C-alpha cells in the first residue's frame, strides 16, 4: 500500500534522458580473521592494490605481471585480478569509461531509469518502516558512472520528506576516471576543477573524503577510496550493485593429494604469455578458505567480498540501516565462473591483461556465512521477481503515457531486459541485510 502511494506520487516525475530470514554460523568469519592475521593479504578494506617495485616504467599490465612472477613466483588468481583491474598505473578500471555500448559491458541503471527509481522507492519504504531516522546516509560501493545514484537522488527529492541537510551521499570509488565521471553526472557538469577535490596523504590517515561536492538537488556528496573511511554512527543504506563480482577471488581445485590453489605463471613453452598452474602443495589460502564440508571439486572464494560484508554487518548491527546487494551469483553450487568481457563478448582471462573486465559470480552462501549472527539476511531472489513485486509494470505504464514512440520502444526493451528470465531477470539476484527485529519483519520485494 505504501509503495503504491509512492508510485502515484512518482508519476509526476519527468522522464529522464533516454526478499526467508536466516541466522548464519559464524565459522566463516573466523576463517577470514585467520586469513587476515596469518597471511597479511587483506590488512584493511581499501581496494587499492600494493604498488610493485620496478626498476623501469612498465609498458603494459602484462609487463607488471611478468615482473612480479619473475621476482616472487606465480601469482594467485586474486593477485592477478587485483593487478589487472585496479593497479594504479594501468588498471582496467582506473583510466577509462568501461560502461555502456561503447565499453565492455552494460549495467541495469544504464539500461533503464526504472531500475534506479524502483531501488529508490524500496529504500524510502524501508527507511520509513524504520521510523524515518535522521540523519540518513546513502552509500554506494562502486558507483560506475553515477547513474544509479543520480536516479535515487531524483526520487528522494520527489518522494521523501527528509529534512533539508539530513540526507548525504557517500561513494566508495578508487578510480580517478570514474570519480570524475560521477562528479560530472551528479553535480550538473561539475569537474575536478570546480568542485572540492582535496585528496592528499593525510586523508588516508584521517579517513577524510578525497572529494566533496553537492548534488543537483543540494545533497552533500563525498568520495572515499575505502568503505572503512565512510562515517559511522548514522542510519545508513548501503547499495552494492555489480560491485562484489569484480572483487578478486582465489580459485582452488581438488586433487588426489588434497586441495591445491590455481595460480598464474608465465608460459615459456606454449601459446600465450601466461598460463594457469596448480600449486605444488597447500597454500595459506587453501588451508583457511576451503570449508571442511565442501563437496565441489572446483571452488572460488572472494575473501575481500567477505570482509566487505563483515564490515557492513557490523555497521548495520551497531548503527542501524540496511544493505542491498545486486549481482549475478549462486548459493554455493557453481564451480568455475571466472571470465573476461571485452566489447560485450567473452574474452580469454589471460589474454592481453588490463584490456578486459574480469568477473566471477557472487557466492551468496559464502556471504551469508560471513555475516555471523549480527544481522538478518533476505534472499537472494531473482531481480525480475523483485522488480515485479515493487511494481515495475505500473511504473512502465506511467512512463509510456508521456513518452514519444522512440522512447516507448526503448522503455519496453529496457523493461524486458531487466525482468525477462532469459536476460537479466533470473541471472541477477537481490540480497539484503537488516538489523535483527522481534516481529519477523520481511522487507519489500522479498517473498515470505
Amino acid at each position: 500500500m505504501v509503495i503504491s502511494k509512492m508510485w502515484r506520487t512518482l508519476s509526476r516525475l519527468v522522464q529522464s534522458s533516454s526478499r526467508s530470514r536466516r541466522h548464519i554460523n559464524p565459522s566463516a568469519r573466523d576463517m577470514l580473521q585467520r586469513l587476515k592475521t596469518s597471511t597479511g593479504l587483506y590488512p584493511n578494506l581499501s581496494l587499492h592494490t600494493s604498488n610493485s617495485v620496478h626498476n623501469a616504467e612498465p609498458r603494459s599490465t602484462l609487463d607488471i605481471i611478468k615482473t612480479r612472477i619473475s621476482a616472487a613466483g606465480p601469482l594467485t588468481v586474486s593477485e592477478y585480478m587485483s593487478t589487472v583491474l585496479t593497479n594504479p598505473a594501468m588498471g582496467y578500471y582506473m583510466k577509462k569509461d568501461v560502461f555502456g555500448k561503447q565499453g565492455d559491458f552494460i549495467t541495469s541503471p544504464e539500461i533503464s531509469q526504472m531500475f534506479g527509481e524502483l531501488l529508490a522507492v524500496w529504500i524510502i519504504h524501508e527507511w520509513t518502516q524504520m521510523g524515518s531516522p535522521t540523519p540518513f546516509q546513502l552509500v554506494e560501493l562502486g558507483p560506475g558512472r553515477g547513474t544509479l545514484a543520480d536516479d535515487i537522488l531524483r526520487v528522494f527529492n520527489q518522494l521523501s520528506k527528509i529534512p533539508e541537510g539530513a540526507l548525504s551521499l557517500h561513494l566508495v570509488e578508487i578510480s580517478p576516471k570514474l570519480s570524475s565521471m560521477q562528479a560530472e553526472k551528479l553535480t550538473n557538469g561539475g569537474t575536478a576543477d570546480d568542485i572540492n577535490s582535496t585528496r592528499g596523504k593525510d586523508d588516508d590517515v584521517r579517513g577524510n573524503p578525497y572529494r566533496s561536492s553537492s548534488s543537483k538537488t543540494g545533497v552533500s556528496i563525498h568520495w572515499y577510496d575505502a568503505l572503512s573511511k565512510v562515517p559511522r554512527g548514522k542510519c545508513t543504506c548501503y547499495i552494492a550493485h555489480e560491485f562484489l563480482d569484480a572483487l578478486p577471488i582465489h580459485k582452488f581445485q581438488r586433487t588426489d593429494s588434497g586441495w591445491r590453489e590455481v595460480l598464474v605463471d608465465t608460459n615459456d613453452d606454449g601459446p600465450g604469455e601466461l598460463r594457469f598452474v596448480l600449486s605444488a602443495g597447500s597454500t595459506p589460502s587453501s588451508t583457511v578458505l576451503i570449508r571442511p564440508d565442501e563437496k565441489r571439486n572446483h571452488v572460488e572464494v572472494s575473501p575481500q567480498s567477505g570482509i566487505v560484508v563483515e564490515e557492513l554487518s557490523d555497521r548495520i548491527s551497531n548503527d542501524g540501516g540496511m544493505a542491498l546487494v545486486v549481482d549475478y551469483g549462486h548459493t554455493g553450487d557453481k564451480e568455475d565462473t571466472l571470465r573476461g568481457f571485452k566489447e560485450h563478448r567473452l574474452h580469454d582471462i589471460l589474454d592481453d591483461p588490463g584490456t578486459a573486465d574480469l568477473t566471477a559470480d557472487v557466492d551468496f552462501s559464502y556471504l551469508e556465512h560471513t555475516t555471523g549472527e549480527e544481522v538478518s539476511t533476505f534472499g537472494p531472489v531473482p531481480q525480475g521477481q523483485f522488480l515485479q513485486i515493487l511494481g515495475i509494470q505500473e511504473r512502465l505504464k506511467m512512463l509510456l503515457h508521456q513518452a514519444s514512440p522512440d522512447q516507448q520502444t526503448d522503455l519496453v526493451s529496457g523493461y524486458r531486459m531487466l525482468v525477462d528470465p532469459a536476460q537479466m531477470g533470473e541471472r541477477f539476484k537481490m540480497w539484503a541485510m537488516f538489523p535483527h527485529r522481534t516481529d519477523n519483519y520481511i522487507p519489500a520485494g522479498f517473498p515470505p
Side-chain angles (χ1 to χ4, degrees):
M1 181 65 70
V2 174
I3 289 181
S4 296
K5 291 180 180 178
M6 288 183 184
W7 277 130
R8 287 196 290 271
T9 305
L10 189 60
S11 65
R12 298 195 301 268
L13 277 172
V14 177
Q15 182 178 342
S16 65
S17 56
S18 290
R19 305 186 168 327
S20 65
R21 171 174 302 198
R22 301 187 186 97
H23 300 298
I24 305 301
N25 189 324
S27 59
R29 295 162 58 84
D30 298 334
M31 290 194 290
L32 280 174
Q33 187 60 39
R34 285 169 56 200
L35 181 66
K36 288 186 284 187
T37 57
S38 65
T39 69
L41 290 177
Y42 304 98
N44 54 52
L45 287 178
S46 175
L47 300 185
H48 279 302
T49 55
S50 300
N51 291 323
S52 299
V53 177
H54 302 290
N55 294 326
E57 187 71 21
R59 297 185 302 273
S60 66
T61 300
L62 179 61
D63 285 342
I64 297 175
I65 293 169
K66 293 174 72 173
T67 299
R68 291 188 62 183
I69 293 174
S70 177
L75 303 178
T76 66
V77 173
S78 176
E79 292 169 330
Y80 176 77
M81 289 182 68
S82 295
T83 304
V84 168
L85 298 178
T86 59
N87 84 79
M90 300 179 182
Y92 172 78
Y93 284 114
M94 306 303 283
K95 301 296 183 182
K96 63 178 181 177
D97 179 10
V98 300
F99 302 96
K101 293 181 179 180
Q102 304 305 315
D104 297 316
F105 56 92
I106 191 167
T107 62
S108 295
E110 304 290 342
I111 292 169
S112 173
Q113 68 182 74
M114 291 184 288
F115 182 83
E117 290 172 350
L118 281 158
L119 261 59
V121 168
W122 182 85
I123 295 168
I124 294 171
H125 176 265
E126 298 307 325
W127 172 66
T128 303
Q129 295 299 305
M130 293 177 176
S132 306
T134 56
F136 184 55
Q137 297 185 144
L138 294 172
V139 176
E140 186 177 0
L141 309 179
R145 289 173 166 172
T147 303
L148 178 58
D150 190 50
D151 288 338
I152 290 174
L153 289 183
R154 189 179 72 253
V155 175
F156 253 86
N157 184 59
Q158 193 76 14
L159 296 184
S160 76
K161 298 180 181 180
I162 192 166
E164 184 176 354
L167 176 66
S168 57
L169 175 64
H170 305 260
L171 304 177
V172 180
E173 179 58 73
I174 65 171
S175 167
K177 173 65 175 179
L178 291 178
S179 64
S180 294
M181 294 176 62
Q182 294 151 15
E184 184 173 2
K185 179 76 172 180
L186 294 165
T187 62
N188 257 340
T191 67
D193 294 326
D194 56 27
I195 65 174
N196 179 29
S197 183
T198 58
R199 193 172 194 173
K201 292 182 179 179
D202 290 341
D203 294 320
D204 291 332
V205 177
R206 296 193 299 263
N208 291 342
Y210 64 80
R211 169 178 284 167
S212 295
S213 187
S214 294
S215 76
K216 293 172 281 190
T217 56
V219 175
S220 61
I221 310 175
H222 308 282
W223 280 262
Y224 307 83
D225 61 14
L227 171 62
S228 57
K229 298 177 183 179
V230 175
R232 296 200 54 164
K234 302 174 183 178
C235 183
T236 303
C237 175
Y238 302 90
I239 301 292
H241 176 264
E242 289 200 55
F243 173 74
L244 298 181
D245 67 87
L247 296 187
I249 64 166
H250 289 265
K251 286 182 69 70
F252 306 100
Q253 180 173 320
R254 191 194 300 271
T255 73
D256 293 338
S257 302
W259 286 102
R260 296 295 182 260
E261 184 157 7
V262 178
L263 306 174
V264 177
D265 199 1
T266 53
N267 187 17
D268 299 327
D269 302 322
E273 307 233 26
L274 301 171
R275 60 175 178 162
F276 287 117
V277 297
L278 289 181
S279 60
S282 61
T283 64
S285 297
S286 67
T287 302
V288 170
L289 293 176
I290 302 295
R291 296 174 59 182
D293 59 348
E294 182 58 65
K295 299 295 191 297
R296 292 170 292 176
N297 292 321
H298 301 269
V299 177
E300 298 168 335
V301 183
S302 173
Q304 286 198 27
S305 296
I307 294 170
V308 168
V309 169
E310 183 179 0
E311 168 84 358
L312 293 177
S313 300
D314 180 70
R315 285 170 171 258
I316 293 168
S317 175
N318 289 286
D319 303 335
M322 68 203 101
L324 182 65
V325 174
V326 186
D327 228 316
Y328 40 80
H330 58 91
T331 54
D333 55 326
K334 290 189 178 181
E335 297 189 334
D336 294 309
T337 71
L338 178 64
R339 56 206 179 275
F341 281 101
K342 185 174 182 178
E343 298 177 351
H344 303 273
R345 297 180 180 180
L346 287 171
H347 180 82
D348 190 310
I349 299 165
L350 301 180
D351 183 30
D352 201 7
T355 66
D357 184 33
L358 301 182
T359 180
D361 281 20
V362 174
D363 185 344
F364 288 103
S365 66
Y366 170 72
L367 299 185
E368 289 187 355
H369 276 78
T370 65
T371 66
E373 296 186 356
E374 289 197 79
V375 295
S376 296
T377 63
F378 301 88
V381 300
Q383 174 177 289
Q385 180 182 8
F386 180 89
L387 296 177
Q388 295 285 14
I389 292 173
L390 291 187
I392 190 171
Q393 285 185 324
E394 185 176 352
R395 180 55 178 155
L396 175 63
K397 292 176 183 177
M398 294 176 185
L399 292 173
L400 289 174
H401 280 307
Q402 58 191 26
S404 68
D406 287 344
Q407 290 172 328
Q408 289 177 347
T409 299
D410 290 340
L411 284 166
V412 172
S413 174
Y415 164 80
R416 289 173 176 166
M417 186 171 291
L418 291 175
V419 303
D420 188 342
Q423 299 189 61
M424 303 177 77
E426 182 67 32
R427 180 157 175 69
F428 280 79
K429 305 292 193 292
M430 321 296 279
W431 183 76
M433 293 185 286
F434 279 74
H436 291 310
R437 291 176 54 160
T438 59
D439 59 355
N440 294 320
Y441 176 76
I442 298 176
F446 293 88

